[in-house]
Amino acid sequence: MTDIRKTESAEPPLSAVFGWGDLPTSLFAIFPLYLVYAVGIAFLPAMNGVDFVSRNLFILLGRSQQNYLIAHAVLAAVFLAAAIVSRRTHTGLRRRFLPMVLESAIYALTLGSLIWFVMYRILGMAPLAVGGLSESAQSVVLSFGAGVHEELVFRLGAFAGGAALLRLLGIRHTAAILITFLASSALFSAAHHLGPAGDPWDVSVFVYRTLAGCAFAAIFYFRSLAHAAYTHALYDVYVMILKQA
């Protein structure tokens, strides 16, 4: 006799909360973004608000800019060596990198227009200028930092990590994904209004960023962490260019 339970659709494995992309490959692919940002902030008075890595690393290295830069030079050398080995053994990664960046650029260019359309035409809200980016070089560096650290915290941590926690608590995969998809996007938006450097509260800005968070979360889940990180970074650069136009 056939066991009816065997015919029921099984839940996806816990690793499915990380989406369709390959996480180790994504972490490797976003390292150049991290490196540009990490070296850049050594010469700037600001850093990304959720960057706990650079801040603690700087403290660990005795608050020495020289030690901090040497540490990242070592990391860059290790990455370069790994990239050379990967190029010889995994040609697929090299062939996918540029298409991934180009795809992310397309997402970044269309994301702002789509969110504007949804807010203005569907929700009847006038989107306001978001944030206060200053000098170009600093803005680019901080945009790269946002692409790396905010995607790690809000998409990999809050979205995927939160979904994994809900799965462990017995919530079904689809429900867990939907809950953390919305919650992580709202948290991502709210975080920009916290602290002394946060933006003043405005509901349209909050909705705008929440929609952006939903878009980044969808890209993370259906494409990869690398796609989301590069889209986020390039989108922030694009917004900065529009503000200066």
Side-chain angles (χ1 to χ4, degrees), residues 91-112:
T91 56
L93 175 61
R94 173 168 52 92
R95 292 174 181 173
R96 291 194 301 268
F97 182 77
L98 285 180
M100 180 273 295
V101 174
L102 291 175
E103 182 181 344
S104 300
I106 293 172
Y107 294 150
L109 291 174
T110 57
L111 179 57

Side-chain angles (χ1 to χ4, degrees), residues 112 116 127-136 139-140 142-143 192 197 199-200 205 208-209 234-245:
W116 188 285
L128 303 178
V130 178
L133 296 174
S134 53
E135 298 179 359
S136 297
S139 298
V140 170
L142 295 179
S143 294
H192 288 81
D199 292 336
V205 173
Y208 185 97
R209 281 206 181 98
L234 295 174
Y235 170 74
D236 280 7
V237 171
Y238 178 55
V239 170
M240 177 266 295
I241 292 173
L242 287 180
K243 287 182 179 180
Q244 295 183 348

Side-chain angles (χ1 to χ4, degrees), residues 154 184-193 205-210:
F154 294 106
S184 64
S185 299
L187 181 63
F188 164 74
S189 181
H192 288 81
H193 297 282
V205 173
F206 177 80
V207 172
Y208 185 97
R209 281 206 181 98
T210 300

